[in-house]
Amino acid sequence: MPLLPLKTVLDIDPYKGGESTLPGVAKPIKLASNENPFGASPKAKEAAIAAMANTGLYPEGSAAVLRNALATRYGLDPGRIVCGAGSDEIFQLLLRAYLGPGDEIVQSEHAFLMYRIFARPMGGVVKTAKNEGKRANVDSMLDCVTEKTRIVFLDNPNNPTGTYLPFSEVRRLHAELPDNVMLVIDAAYAEYVNRNDYSAGIELAGEAENVVMTRTFSKIHGLAAMRVGWMYGPASVVDALNRVRLPFNVATPAQAAAAAAIADGAFMEMSARHNEKELERVSGAIAAMGFEVIPSVGNFVLAAFPIEKGRTAGDADKHLRSRGIIVRGVAAYGLPDALRISIGSEAQNDAFLKALGEFAGK
Ligand SMILES: *Cc1c(COP(=O)(O)O)cnc(C)c1O
């Protein structure tokens, strides 16, 4: 009998990313992975191409160019930043460094799937706290904390619901956690949020000994293909992650592209303004068709469908696919009756709304 993987590995439901192809459709409209419809800043692309001159050489292992660019942009100490191959890698590194067999993580209902996917092979136990409506609830998250809890993950805003916790609630969550529990604030969509009571958590990660904030270049920066994310937090966490990460975990063109992207404030601003306008338009139009829309602050929106035959989320998905449009089913997130729709270009959103309108009118 051949060697078997660990039971903790076989227990994982593998992550399924948003699909990008449809049989028989040459160019499907992909609104399934919360990508930036404009792609990346031209400056980021130029920087990546220029960096291709040096592909014979290993990358600078600490991603200093990128850490310095981030430090300049946000006024941070570059020594307290770690870059990774997407923020996914940062989650994995945190769990590898801090979670032992039998240790627990706490997350909200409908939390981003990667936390539990990376916690399981460490032998970790996942505690999921009930939401209030579609929003994370600080009290129920705190109720899940035991002496075995090592890390509390909060994706703020949450993917896939699009809801967020005001910063006062994040501060309360932190204040009531024991010192030996780490709070990881995953702020993948922070740049899209236009609410006065929201904060990505940079201040908290700067001052507390047990708070880490993660960010990504995959969303507003349009660099999902380059795989770049980063964390900011206590020096002790930076030291731990630098011990467990691969020595050359961020490719040179990816470092260069991300450093150029973070310096291009105009591109970010343009992307955020577009999203603001289109998120409101798309949300309003879906609601006007009679479907429940969860108010979102991200670059995507969750719509709930009836359970009656012919009207379900699965039926809607099938109809959209027949029109060449791919959105995201979110059953794996515990939301079998909903679809998550990324905000695309104006033309993509028009096509989506037209197709959903046909479905609604059937
Ligand atoms: C998309 C997303 C990320 C980003 O993952 P990367 O590995 O950086 O591409 C992180 N957290 C949440 C909640 C996301 O939706």
Side-chain angles (χ1 to χ4, degrees):
M1 179 137 123
L3 180 65
L4 291 176
L6 299 173
K7 184 176 176 312
T8 49
V9 170
L10 292 175
D11 274 353
I12 299 171
D13 289 324
Y15 183 78
K16 254 185 86 213
E19 292 162 71
S20 50
T21 55
L22 276 180
V25 182
K27 269 199 138 192
I29 293 177
K30 187 188 178 202
L31 300 173
S33 297
N34 303 343
E35 294 144 332
N36 187 330
F38 301 108
S41 154
K43 291 174 184 159
K45 291 185 214 172
E46 282 160 27
I49 291 165
M52 291 301 285
N54 296 320
T55 53
L57 306 176
Y58 277 100
E60 190 285 307
S62 78
V65 164
L66 176 53
R67 288 186 298 110
N68 288 331
L70 289 164
T72 302
R73 169 73 176 76
Y74 293 110
L76 308 175
D77 171 359
R80 292 181 53 182
I81 296 172
V82 179
C83 298
S87 38
D88 284 355
E89 188 193 11
I90 303 290
F91 307 139
Q92 185 181 40
L93 293 174
L94 287 165
L95 289 161
R96 198 180 287 165
Y98 289 97
L99 203 73
D103 289 343
E104 297 172 1
I105 69 163
V106 172
Q107 61 176 24
S108 75
E109 215 177 337
H110 316 310
F112 189 49
L113 293 175
M114 296 318 300
Y115 318 142
R116 72 172 192 233
I117 288 177
F118 291 140
R120 288 297 297 135
M122 308 308 306
V125 176
V126 180
K127 294 280 183 79
T128 300
K130 277 272 171 233
N131 276 3
E132 188 183 345
K134 287 285 182 292
R135 204 175 81 160
N137 181 273
V138 165
D139 293 308
S140 68
M141 290 181 82
L142 288 167
D143 283 345
C144 288
V145 173
T146 72
E147 72 280 1
K148 292 208 166 145
T149 307
R150 298 291 175 264
I151 303 184
V152 174
F153 283 95
L154 178 71
D155 41 343
N156 197 33
N158 170 266
N159 169 18
T161 63
T163 59
Y164 77 104
L165 284 187
F167 197 52
S168 56
E169 281 295 281
V170 179
R171 276 207 182 274
R172 186 166 75 85
L173 173 61
H174 169 251
E176 300 198 19
L177 284 178
D179 292 345
N180 65 353
V181 173
M182 187 190 298
L183 173 62
V184 176
I185 306 170
D186 171 2
Y189 301 95
E191 300 85 356
Y192 287 111
V193 186
N194 61 357
R195 296 289 191 281
N196 288 331
D197 60 356
Y198 174 80
S199 164
I202 284 188
E203 316 85 324
L204 197 54
E207 72 201 24
E209 279 305 315
N210 61 338
V211 178
V212 162
M213 176 202 66
T214 65
R215 303 287 280 269
T216 181
F217 281 89
S218 304
K219 305 291 156 62
I220 201 163
H221 298 292
L223 289 171
M226 296 301 253
R227 311 306 305 126
V228 191
W230 57 286
M231 64 140 275
Y232 173 63
S236 61
V237 178
V238 169
D239 176 68
L241 265 55
N242 281 331
R243 290 169 193 265
V244 291
R245 71 175 172 82
L246 293 177
F248 307 107
N249 59 338
V250 187
T252 308
Q255 290 186 30
I262 203 71
D264 191 347
F267 179 85
M268 287 170 67
E269 186 64 21
M270 181 276 290
S271 302
R273 292 295 83 79
H274 166 84
N275 187 70
E276 210 168 275
K277 192 169 88 213
E278 289 292 287
L279 173 66
E280 193 181 321
R281 181 171 80 93
V282 171
S283 303
I286 300 173
M289 292 172 201
F291 303 111
E292 186 196 352
V293 172
I294 315 307
S296 170
V297 295
N299 66 338
F300 56 90
V301 63
L302 190 74
F305 290 80
I307 48 172
E308 89 195 61
K309 213 162 170 280
R311 314 298 301 153
T312 66
D315 296 321
D317 192 34
K318 208 187 271 168
H319 178 80
L320 291 168
R321 280 165 189 270
S322 77
R323 296 295 184 266
I325 297 164
I326 309 174
V327 299
R328 185 66 164 269
V330 282
Y333 290 85
L335 294 161
D337 303 324
L339 294 175
R340 190 194 70 193
I341 302 108
S342 304
I343 300 301
S345 67
E346 203 177 322
Q348 290 176 323
N349 298 336
D350 283 346
F352 162 75
L353 290 172
K354 178 163 177 279
L356 190 67
E358 292 165 0
F359 175 75
K362 271 207 291 200

